[in-house]
Amino acid sequence: MRLNPEVWALVRQVRRPTLTVLAGVMLIAPWSLVPAGERPVAPAAEVEMADAVAPEAMAQARDAVASAWRDRILYRERARVAEQYASRFRIPIGLAEDIHWAAQKERIDPHLAFRLVRAESSFRTTAVSPVGAVGLTQVMPATANWLVPGTAGEDLLDARFNLRIGFRYLRKLMDMYGDAELALLAYNRGPGVVDSMLDEGLDPDNGYSEMVLTGDRTRHQEHIAAQAAARAATPEPPARRGASF
């Protein structure tokens, strides 16, 4: 007799060999469909053992079915949500799935996660900044090595790894500051700069958190332009002359 593929898959989920056989037998066609003369007669001891373990086998089988359905529902829901994000941000669905997965792993609101990646790299996996920040979340290699010792720069080009590292760093900052906007500013400027400015009574806001949360880059770009103008207006110290002989 050949088992239905779904029944066979269920039977295989029941781990103990004895329970596997029993669950399989109970999931085959009902005994009423088997001619009485062809039904095997089990010894009394085996019948008693089967009666004793059958409820446990059935409970395990029910748990396996419930777990399979739960996993299937969760998979469908994750796929549906990823498809919505992919459409909204106009990115491949595979990348949307990776961002959503990493955000859940590191306890980051997916809405914030997608906006962070958009602000940092415009969803470019191989993005590298002039100062050496790498990948989708533009993590500095030193920061990555602090979070996961032994991390090499090229490791950050792996999309899933980069997302986990970037979101883990943001999670730490959010736990540290208890405020999403301050955490984002620390992500961009560094916690040392933010802490120093706060200690001096200064406002560390440079428009970055607004850029992430709303997509409006105006204030952040104005801040960057003002910094560049200030550096250009500051005369460089004269070069030191070599010793004369």
Side-chain angles (χ1 to χ4, degrees):
M1 181 182 295
R2 298 183 63 183
L3 291 177
N4 181 287
E6 294 185 1
V7 172
W8 177 240
L10 177 59
V11 171
R12 293 183 63 183
Q13 293 185 54
V14 182
R15 300 301 183 187
R16 299 180 186 178
T18 302
L19 296 181
T20 299
V21 174
L22 289 170
V25 169
M26 286 183 288
L27 290 170
I28 301 175
W31 282 107
S32 60
L33 300 180
V34 181
E38 298 180 12
R39 298 176 189 173
V41 178
E46 292 185 12
V47 172
E48 292 179 2
M49 181 188 70
D51 290 340
V53 298
E56 183 180 354
M58 288 299 295
Q60 290 195 16
R62 286 194 299 269
D63 289 345
V65 171
S67 178
W69 275 107
R70 184 168 58 250
D71 290 345
R72 187 171 184 177
I73 291 172
L74 289 175
Y75 174 79
R76 287 180 174 177
E77 178 62 16
R78 284 195 297 266
R80 183 187 67 81
V81 171
E83 186 175 356
Q84 290 179 342
Y85 278 117
S87 176
R88 180 173 185 175
F89 291 98
R90 299 180 181 179
I91 59 176
I93 191 169
L95 177 57
E97 289 174 344
D98 286 346
I99 294 173
H100 189 260
W101 167 82
Q104 290 186 316
K105 288 291 186 181
E106 301 300 336
R107 299 179 295 115
I108 295 294
D109 179 2
H111 295 283
L112 176 58
F114 278 88
R115 286 167 172 78
L116 178 74
V117 177
R118 177 182 61 184
E120 285 292 334
S121 64
S122 297
F123 300 104
R124 292 179 293 121
T125 305
T126 58
V128 179
S129 77
V131 296
V134 181
L136 290 165
T137 60
Q138 289 291 278
V139 180
M140 294 295 290
T143 301
N145 194 59
W146 168 62
L147 291 168
V148 180
T151 299
E154 57 269 22
D155 295 333
L156 294 174
L157 294 174
D158 178 88
R160 281 196 157 202
F161 182 75
N162 186 286
L163 291 166
R164 289 291 300 270
I165 291 292
F167 296 160
R168 184 172 303 177
Y169 183 44
L170 180 60
R171 180 74 261 168
K172 284 184 175 292
L173 294 172
M174 292 179 72
D175 292 342
M176 180 188 305
Y177 291 100
D179 181 270
E181 293 191 13
L182 276 177
L184 287 170
L185 291 173
Y187 190 97
N188 175 248
R189 310 191 74 171
V193 172
V194 171
D195 290 345
S196 178
M197 295 185 72
L198 290 174
D199 290 343
E200 295 175 17
L202 302 175
D203 184 0
D205 186 14
N206 63 356
Y208 177 80
S209 58
E210 180 180 342
M211 179 179 71
V212 172
L213 297 173
T214 70
D216 186 353
R217 298 174 175 266
T218 305
R219 285 206 312 119
H220 187 57
Q221 290 176 338
E222 289 175 348
H223 175 82
I224 293 175
Q227 280 190 321
R231 286 194 299 268
T234 303
E236 295 183 4
R240 294 181 60 185
R241 296 181 178 179
S244 58
F245 294 94

